[in-house]
Amino acid sequence: QGQLAESGGGSVQAGGSLRLSCAASAYMRSAWCMGWFRQAPGKEREAVATINDHGITTYADAVKGRFTISKDVAESILYLQMNSLKLEDTAMYYCASGWSCEYSHFNHWGQGTQVTVSA
């Protein structure tokens, strides 16, 4: 069985950029939908961006125009390019796979990578 392993998190100043990666192993080949989620301290986990098997993407309103989700199917890697980062983007970021892009249908999760945005 495969795994989901995030990397690329770190500390960055507001306005900066980071690119998150998720090594998706077997999950990307079998999942209909891949996504990035985040959870800030004291808040519920929320969807950031999803990409389905046809490459159709969705974004949370808070990140539209700043974040881009993409995938390299050959390498089984999911990416999240984050530009113009804001303080409120600080959170633990998780990648996940699911049989649809409905939030409740994501059934495999990585361990997360921390993103901290400072002033």
Side-chain angles (χ1 to χ4, degrees):
Q1 191 171 4
Q3 61 180 7
L4 298 169
E6 303 93 338
S7 62
S11 297
V12 64
Q13 288 190 320
S17 298
L18 283 174
R19 188 177 78 160
L20 305 184
S21 300
C22 175
S25 186
Y27 290 120
M28 185 173 287
R29 291 190 291 273
S30 61
W32 170 255
C33 192
M34 301 290 297
W36 286 99
F37 298 78
R38 67 186 181 187
Q39 186 167 20
K43 295 187 177 181
E44 294 187 355
R45 187 165 57 190
E46 62 178 357
V48 174
T50 65
I51 183 167
N52 72 13
D53 202 46
H54 293 315
I56 297 173
T57 58
T58 66
Y59 295 92
D61 288 343
V63 306
K64 281 181 181 177
R66 300 188 297 121
F67 291 11
T68 302
I69 188 171
S70 62
K71 59 182 179 179
D72 183 331
V73 176
E75 297 295 329
S76 294
I77 300 176
L78 182 71
Y79 297 103
L80 184 69
Q81 178 66 43
M82 305 186 295
N83 298 328
S84 302
L85 283 161
K86 302 177 180 181
L87 298 179
E88 52 264 41
D89 294 320
T90 295
M92 185 71 79
Y93 283 72
Y94 301 88
C95 72
S97 67
W99 70 85
S100 88
C101 289
E102 291 293 324
Y103 182 92
S104 62
H105 294 170
F106 284 86
N107 56 344
H108 295 288
W109 296 83
Q111 294 299 306
T113 186
Q114 178 68 39
V115 171
T116 302
V117 183
S118 59

